[in-house]
Amino acid sequence: MFDSGKEQTITGIVREFNWTNPHSSFKIEVTDASGKSEIWAVEMNGPQNLMHDGWKRSTLKNGDKITAVVHPLRDGKPGGSYVSVTLADGTVLKGTGPGQSYDNNAGK
């Protein structure tokens, strides 16, 4: 479903954040160079795993501007599997999306 061999960086406005099992997720409205906007759906691991990486239920709020790195969907639709998020204050949260492994100590 996701192309784990590719990473794509997207910047936009959070439109939804779901802190749920088995997978948390968020939607981000991204505007391209031509001014066209589209909603990207990004799937993450569950809350238990995300908490180990510094996430909280309140980390993302509707209207927050973020930059996300994702493994994009193989079919080219706007979506992907979470790799990292940079918050407006510069905080970078890394972790894993579904089906990925991540060394929690790498890069820390």
Side-chain angles (χ1 to χ4, degrees), residues 16 18 31 33-34 47-48 50 52 66 68 85 97-98 103:
E16 184 177 301
N18 297 301
T31 304
S34 70
Q48 183 74 10
L50 293 171
H52 291 288
I66 63 168
V85 164
D103 178 356

Side-chain angles (χ1 to χ4, degrees), residues 24-99:
S24 293
S25 64
F26 62 91
K27 291 185 179 177
I28 177 173
E29 184 175 357
V30 178
T31 304
D32 67 18
S34 70
K36 178 185 170 208
S37 73
E38 61 186 356
I39 301 292
W40 279 65
V42 180
E43 193 169 332
M44 309 167 81
N45 254 328
Q48 183 74 10
N49 292 12
L50 293 171
M51 286 189 302
H52 291 288
D53 297 319
W55 283 85
K56 299 177 194 167
R57 175 184 300 275
S58 61
T59 298
L60 295 181
K61 294 173 234 34
N62 287 344
D64 286 353
K65 183 172 182 178
I66 63 168
T67 297
V69 178
V70 301
H71 292 297
L73 288 168
R74 290 184 188 274
D75 65 7
K77 291 181 180 173
S81 175
Y82 160 77
V83 175
S84 70
V85 164
T86 303
L87 303 175
D89 68 1
T91 301
V92 178
L93 295 168
K94 296 182 179 181
T96 58

Side-chain angles (χ1 to χ4, degrees), residues 8 15 70 105:
Q8 187 164 351
R15 294 299 177 210
V70 301
N105 297 313

